[in-house]
Amino acid sequence: MPDSAGVARAIPAPKAKATLVIFVGVDCPIANRMAPEISRIITTYAARGVQSYLVYPDGSLTKTQVNDHRASFELTCPGIIDGDHKLVKALGATVTPQAAIVDAKGKVRYLGRINDLDEEHGKIRSKPGRNDLRIALDEFLDGRDITRPVTQTVGCFIGS
């Protein structure tokens, strides 16, 4: 799939130990609140061989809007507009923000939240108690089974 710069991107990414796909929305306050942590995860795990992509499941967005969103939140990985929901369906995403870890063979190894900062809609912790995505990435990269391969995600629903 082409990213917002027109570069073709493959999932899973060639030569990556894992491909991290994070579904986000420009107007989702939960995804935007999570953006600093998403940015830190992208940077930290790139050094460990993880290729990250942001996926925008809103087909009405332009490449410029995606690039502006990425720049305003310092999200350095490529952004993909998934207006026809091919990635949404293939990876099982239902809300933004939601993360999927895809192994080199294309199998989804984790699908869920970034962390538990948002307990439920309107109920936000002062700091996360569990950093689910980081834990899953560490377990996967260390060759261990992911202890919680699916976590419930609070976010903005992805429309059809």
Side-chain angles (χ1 to χ4, degrees), residues 1 35 65 87 117 119 132 138 148:
M1 295 186 78
Q65 289 171 307
L87 291 174
L117 186 65
E119 293 182 70
D132 300 276
D138 289 339
R148 294 186 187 175

Side-chain angles (χ1 to χ4, degrees), residues 37-142:
E37 175 61 1
I38 291 170
S39 181
R40 289 187 292 269
I41 289 170
I42 290 166
T43 301
T44 299
Y45 289 92
R48 294 188 63 192
V50 175
Q51 173 62 59
S52 297
Y53 298 118
L54 298 172
V55 174
Y56 294 80
D58 180 353
S60 70
L61 293 175
T62 66
K63 292 177 182 179
T64 300
Q65 289 171 307
V66 167
N67 291 335
D68 288 349
H69 182 261
R70 289 173 45 245
S72 67
F73 287 100
E74 300 177 5
L75 298 164
T76 57
C77 70
I80 299 169
I81 300 171
D82 186 26
D84 58 4
H85 291 181
K86 284 183 182 175
L87 291 174
V88 168
K89 292 172 187 167
L91 301 179
T94 56
V95 299
T96 64
Q98 191 169 35
I101 299 171
V102 181
D103 69 17
K105 294 181 181 178
K107 181 180 178 184
V108 176
R109 303 293 298 272
Y110 173 82
L111 180 65
R113 63 190 180 195
I114 311 303
N115 60 37
D116 65 355
L117 186 65
D118 288 88
E119 293 182 70
E120 57 188 60
H121 285 279
K123 189 173 181 184
I124 305 164
R125 299 174 192 261
S126 59
K127 64 180 184 175
R130 181 174 165 84
N131 292 299
D132 300 276
L133 180 56
R134 286 179 179 270
I135 292 167
L137 282 164
D138 289 339
E139 289 172 340
F140 179 78
L141 293 171
D142 292 343

Side-chain angles (χ1 to χ4, degrees), residues 12-26:
K15 301 179 184 175
K17 291 180 181 176
T19 304
L20 175 59
V21 179
I22 304 175
F23 293 86
V24 296
V26 298

